[in-house]
RNA sequence: GCGCCUGUAGCUCAGUUGGAUAGAGCAACGGACUUCUAAUCCGUAGGUCGGGGGUUCGAAUCCCUCCAGGCGUGCCA
């Protein structure tokens, strides 16, 4: 609808230029049409006359008046156009148009809200990518919810999306994992061991040692230290990764690819990437180490890629990894990271540019931290000491629906306070059920309608007279906005817009539902019932579609 | 020190790429259950958009500066 208004304005503009009613200046590059805050300002408005005032050297209201004269509304889209305030042009949409919206919600059904603005372009999203050295915690959960929903939203907006998890199954942390497990293993065999502070402290290490002992027996004691550590590392990393996959599965998050860091070494990709950049003189030697000239791309200092001891840094893998991603010919690549990694952006961005790609090719989304609370009081957590609440514990306690909804209910730029007690509460303090409840209520109405024999939900032209109350038109106007919520979330990479919209739609429905003297859906009046069933089941379609994108279930009863 | 993020109602947060009179939820107060599910609704109250300058027809939004908080600033991952 907004696009149609936009086209109308565009056409009026062109017509005014052609007729010589406007000075022949450069036409505006984009026409902004928005939904005014107050209903008295119309359904849509544009500020075009104001933005053109200086180049046209005329008063905005005068320009607006010229444009209005050139508006051709052959489709009968608008009932009234007015000039208001400093020079806004306000459009009032013909009521009949809103029924078209309502009809299209039904005819599109599950695909209502989807579009082709992405033009089938390939986007890769990498997220979570937690090291397989311990279970996922709540911070990973937020990244998982954001990444998974963003992928769904982009997909709905017509992009082809691939979700990837980068597994850091190489490097020092894996060896640390191995030696941590080995020590606990020896402990189980009643050796007295000293457990160093730089080892992984969590209880889960003991569990891993236990299952290792169960499957391998005492065999590892006979191996040389380094082989034993490696065996422990392989075993533990596999087990942990397996657990991560299960946790994500329980959280309704899926990935298309699991990409192994180790594979970059096995195929020689890391060496090759380094060699290529050496040839380009972007990597140079200094103090026995190999340095990447990231300062040439705006970083504040150069970064080490190969240490003096010959071992590569994490950054080296990351260069090869991003090179690999870029070679896979995605149109765009998005890395979703915890905000504590933001210091890595300049160097990764430098590597992307050094490989020969535009900086914009790779986008970064930084998700701020999660503060876990219980009854308003912070829960102390320390990853180092192994004291943290895992994602699976949270999901088990509050349910995946509440967890996902609450993780998405904040812009990823703001830190998130997540209160476990509030998340569980079945009350109006908890926003999670508010939206789901709409779905349950409408489902119940449909059940009742079915019992009464009103089971055929399809459009009849007399609905135009029957769906007539301003609250009802208001509901349809809200429904009309849904597709734009999706495209905007996709364009700005901001999935939080979705739950905010759903809350708004839910609020409008609950208010409508509640006044049963005016809005009883299923009644003795068969025609009116049919019309209202058509209206409310459209609301249900959108609620269901929106929750689906968020990975939250839409229950038929609660 | 430098860099990134944040600062909007008592609390938690939105605010549509600069728009018209800054919004919602919670908490507070006052109301509504003979129901298509009260996990709901209606009403009242609540603001120096951190402070100060600037840009223009117009600023919560853009620029500068200061203040406060978070994170980062490894030949760690």
């Amino acid at each position: 609808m907004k696009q149609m208004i936009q086209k109308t304005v565009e056409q009026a503009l062109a017509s005014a230029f052609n007729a010589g009613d406007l000075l022949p200046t450069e036409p505006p590059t984009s026409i902004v049409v928005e939904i005014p805050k107050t209903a008295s300002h119309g359904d849509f408005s544009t500020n075009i006359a104001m933005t053109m005032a200086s180049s046209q050297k005329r008063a905005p209201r005068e320009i607006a008046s010229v444009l209005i004269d050139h508006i051709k509304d052959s489709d009968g889209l608008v009932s009234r156009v007015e000039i208001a305030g400093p020079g806004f042009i306000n459009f009032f949409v013909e009521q009949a148009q809103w029924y078209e919206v309502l009809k299209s919600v039904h005819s599109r059904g599950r695909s209502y809200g989807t579009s082709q603005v992405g033009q089938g372009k390939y986007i890769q999203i990498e997220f979570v990518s937690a090291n397989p050295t311990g279970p996922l915690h709540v911070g990973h959960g937020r990244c998982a919810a954001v990444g998974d929903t963003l992928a769904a939203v982009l997909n709905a907006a017509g992009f082809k999306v691939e979700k990837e998890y980068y597994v850091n199954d190489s490097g020092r942390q894996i060896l640390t994992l191995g030696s941590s497990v080995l020590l606990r293993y020896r402990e189980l065999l009643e050796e007295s061991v000293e457990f160093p502070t730089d080892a992984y402290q969590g209880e889960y290490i003991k569990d891993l040692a236990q299952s290792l002992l169960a499957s391998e027996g005492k065999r590892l004691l006979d191996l040389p230290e380094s082989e034993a550590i490696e065996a422990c590392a392989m075993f533990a990393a596999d087990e942990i990764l397996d657990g991560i996959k299960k946790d994500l599965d329980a959280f309704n998050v899926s990935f298309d690819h699991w990409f192994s860091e180790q594979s970059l070494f096995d195929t020689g990709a890391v060496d090759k990437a380094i060699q290529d950049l050496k040839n380009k003189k972007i990597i140079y030697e200094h103090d026995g180490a190999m340095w990447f000239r990231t300062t040439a791309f705006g970083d504040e200092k150069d970064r080490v890629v190969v240490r003096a001891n010959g071992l590569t840094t994490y950054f080296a893998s990351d260069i090869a990894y991003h090179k690999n991603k870029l070679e896979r010919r995605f149109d765009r690549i998005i890395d979703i990271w915890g905000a504590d990694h933001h210091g890595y952006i300049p160097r990764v961005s430098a590597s992307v540019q050094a490989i020969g790609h535009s900086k914009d090719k790779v986008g970064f989304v930084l998700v701020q931290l999660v503060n876990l609370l219980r009854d308003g009081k912070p829960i102390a957590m320390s990853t180092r000491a192994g004291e943290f609440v895992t994602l699976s514990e949270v999901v088990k306690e509050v349910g995946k629906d509440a967890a996902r909804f609450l993780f998405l209910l904040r812009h990823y730029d703001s830190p998130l306070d997540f209160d476990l007690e509030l998340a569980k509460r079945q009350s109006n303090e908890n926003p999670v059920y508010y939206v789901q409840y709409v779905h349950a209520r409408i489902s119940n109405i449909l059940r009742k309608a079915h019992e009464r024999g009103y089971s055929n939900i399809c459009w009849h032209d007399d609905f135009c007279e029957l769906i007539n109350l301003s609250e009802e038109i208001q509901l349809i106007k809200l429904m009309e906005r849904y597709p734009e919520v999706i495209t905007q979330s996709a364009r700005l990479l901001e999935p939080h817009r979705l739950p905010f919209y759903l809350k708004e739609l839910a609020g409008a429905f609950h208010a409508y539902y509640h006044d049963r003297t005016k809005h009883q859906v299923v009644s003795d009046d068969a025609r009116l019932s049919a019309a209202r069933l058509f209206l409310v089941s459209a609301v249900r379609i959108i609620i269901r579609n929106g929750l689906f994108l968020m990975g939250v279930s839409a229950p038929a009863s609660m």
Side-chain angles (χ1 to χ4, degrees):
Chain A
M1 189 80 76
K2 185 186 266 189
Q3 283 160 12
M4 290 160 89
I5 298 287
Q6 217 156 358
K7 271 189 193 142
T8 306
V9 176
E10 227 166 276
Q11 176 207 50
L13 206 54
S15 157
F17 276 122
N18 280 339
D21 292 346
L22 290 173
L23 296 177
T25 55
E26 278 295 302
T29 48
S30 70
I31 295 166
V32 176
V33 172
E34 58 180 10
I35 299 172
K37 268 178 278 190
T38 35
S40 63
H41 293 145
D43 295 310
F44 296 97
S45 82
T46 180
N47 61 355
I48 189 78
M50 280 135 76
T51 60
M52 289 171 70
S54 63
S55 67
Q56 285 290 320
K57 302 193 177 66
R58 285 174 85 176
R61 292 186 66 107
E62 250 178 77
I63 299 170
S65 155
V66 169
L67 288 175
I68 284 181
D69 287 341
H70 281 277
I71 287 175
K72 289 185 210 66
D73 183 22
S74 42
D75 298 332
L77 204 61
V78 295
S79 61
R80 190 155 64 86
V81 184
E82 64 173 26
I83 304 170
F88 290 101
I89 303 175
N90 295 338
F91 297 86
F92 293 80
V93 171
E94 190 65 55
Q95 184 155 318
Q97 292 296 327
W98 298 118
Y99 301 117
E100 295 305 315
V101 171
L102 190 55
K103 282 194 254 179
S104 90
V105 176
H106 278 277
S107 63
R108 304 269 325 258
R110 283 187 192 278
S111 72
Y112 181 72
T114 64
S115 66
Q116 291 306 317
V117 296
Q119 300 172 319
K121 288 194 173 154
Y122 283 87
I123 294 199
Q124 193 229 29
I125 303 189
E126 181 221 322
F127 58 107
V128 185
S129 297
N131 291 347
T133 55
L136 298 177
H137 54 70
V138 281
H140 298 128
R142 187 179 184 189
C143 287
V146 167
D148 193 55
T149 301
L150 197 52
V153 163
L154 286 165
N155 185 58
F159 292 92
K160 293 211 162 59
V161 186
E162 197 174 294
K163 296 181 280 185
E164 185 155 298
Y165 188 120
Y166 178 56
V167 186
N168 295 117
D169 53 0
S170 170
R172 208 173 70 179
Q173 82 279 2
I174 294 295
L175 290 180
T176 305
L177 174 68
S179 56
S180 304
V181 172
L182 182 60
L183 286 169
R184 292 301 189 201
Y185 172 86
R186 285 185 181 152
E187 214 170 50
L188 288 170
L189 295 170
E190 309 201 332
E191 268 185 44
S192 76
V193 297
E194 203 168 307
F195 205 75
T197 50
D198 62 351
Y200 293 110
Q201 306 290 321
E203 285 298 309
Y204 66 93
I205 297 290
K206 293 180 186 169
D207 298 341
L208 286 166
Q210 190 72 257
S211 41
L212 180 62
L213 183 59
S215 71
E216 298 294 322
K218 296 181 180 177
R219 184 175 77 78
L220 295 182
L221 290 181
D222 306 329
L223 294 176
E225 175 94 1
S226 65
E227 279 179 43
I229 288 177
E230 198 175 323
C232 286
M234 298 257 291
F235 174 83
D238 280 353
E239 286 285 307
I240 291 172
L241 192 59
D242 208 48
I244 287 173
K245 288 179 178 173
K246 284 195 182 108
D247 290 352
L248 288 169
D249 198 49
F251 198 42
N252 204 10
V253 172
S254 63
F255 285 89
D256 302 306
H257 278 121
W258 296 76
F259 192 99
S260 154
E261 179 187 2
Q262 184 60 46
S263 75
L264 292 167
F265 290 98
D266 297 344
T267 60
V270 175
D271 288 340
K272 181 165 190 317
I274 291 171
Q275 193 54 51
D276 286 354
L277 291 167
K278 265 190 201 164
N279 295 343
K280 290 190 192 173
K281 307 269 191 252
I282 288 167
I283 287 180
Y284 62 92
E285 196 170 340
H286 177 72
D287 283 350
M290 305 302 294
W291 296 71
F292 191 122
R293 206 182 301 279
T294 51
T295 48
F297 305 94
D299 198 3
E300 53 192 24
K301 58 168 289 201
D302 289 347
R303 309 291 174 176
V304 171
V305 179
V306 185
R307 291 184 269 167
N309 64 10
L311 295 177
T312 58
T313 61
Y314 178 84
F315 181 39
S317 311
D318 241 348
I319 296 166
Y321 179 44
H322 281 84
K323 184 165 183 245
N324 178 291
K325 288 206 224 189
L326 290 162
E327 282 163 359
R328 282 187 266 164
R329 301 191 176 265
F330 296 107
D331 295 296
R332 195 161 149 77
I333 289 163
I334 295 164
D335 288 3
I336 298 179
W337 294 349
D340 53 338
H341 286 68
H342 76 251
Y344 267 76
I345 291 179
R347 76 189 73 165
V348 171
S349 178
S351 72
V352 168
Q353 293 170 73
I355 292 164
H357 287 84
S358 152
K359 195 177 157 184
D360 307 325
K361 192 97 179 189
V362 180
F364 300 92
V365 168
L366 295 174
V367 180
Q368 291 289 336
L369 306 180
V370 178
N371 300 309
L372 208 53
L373 311 175
R374 192 177 287 284
D375 273 330
K377 289 183 195 122
I379 299 174
M381 278 189 283
S382 155
T383 310
R384 211 164 48 90
E387 297 162 2
F388 48 79
V389 179
T390 63
L391 174 63
S392 82
E393 284 167 331
V394 170
V395 170
K396 212 181 256 175
E397 182 169 344
V398 310
K400 86 163 165 38
D401 287 345
R404 285 195 67 137
F405 198 96
L406 293 174
F407 279 143
L408 290 168
L409 199 53
R410 209 117 297 169
H411 188 132
Y412 50 70
D413 255 0
S414 338
L416 167 68
D417 288 335
F418 189 100
D419 194 310
L420 286 166
E421 293 306 320
L422 191 144
K424 279 191 293 185
R425 214 167 292 160
Q426 296 185 355
S427 76
N428 51 3
E429 292 163 84
N430 189 344
V432 179
Y433 303 106
Y434 191 78
V435 175
Q436 288 186 315
Y437 196 40
V438 171
H439 192 269
R441 276 184 152 172
I442 299 174
S443 299
N444 202 47
I445 291 173
L446 294 177
R447 269 196 297 276
K448 187 181 166 186
H450 191 73
E451 286 163 17
R452 293 272 208 112
Y454 302 151
S455 43
N456 200 8
I457 295 175
C458 58
W459 174 260
H460 292 282
D461 285 338
D462 64 348
F463 287 1
C464 292
E465 284 86 61
L466 296 165
I467 302 173
N468 227 328
L469 300 168
S470 67
E471 307 90 283
E472 295 172 324
I473 302 300
Q474 216 50 49
L475 262 177
I476 302 173
K477 287 181 182 177
L478 259 175
M479 292 193 246
E480 192 273 330
R481 272 178 43 202
Y482 177 68
E484 200 189 345
V485 171
I486 303 298
T487 54
Q488 200 160 31
S489 303
R491 185 169 55 83
L492 300 171
L493 307 178
E494 291 180 351
H496 73 280
R497 290 169 184 274
L498 189 50
F500 275 96
Y501 166 82
L502 292 177
K503 270 171 63 181
E504 199 179 337
L505 180 63
F509 173 78
H510 281 311
Y512 177 78
Y513 172 91
H514 212 270
D515 195 345
R516 56 185 177 280
T517 56
K518 273 174 83 181
H519 308 135
Q520 180 79 19
V521 176
V522 179
S523 66
D524 293 334
D525 184 337
R527 287 171 66 235
L528 185 60
S529 297
R532 288 184 171 166
L533 282 167
F534 195 79
L535 177 72
V536 300
S537 53
V539 173
R540 190 175 75 144
I541 287 170
I542 296 176
I543 295 284
R544 186 243 282 137
N545 289 358
L547 288 176
F548 175 75
L549 293 180
M550 294 173 67
V552 175
S553 67
S557 70
M558 287 170 73

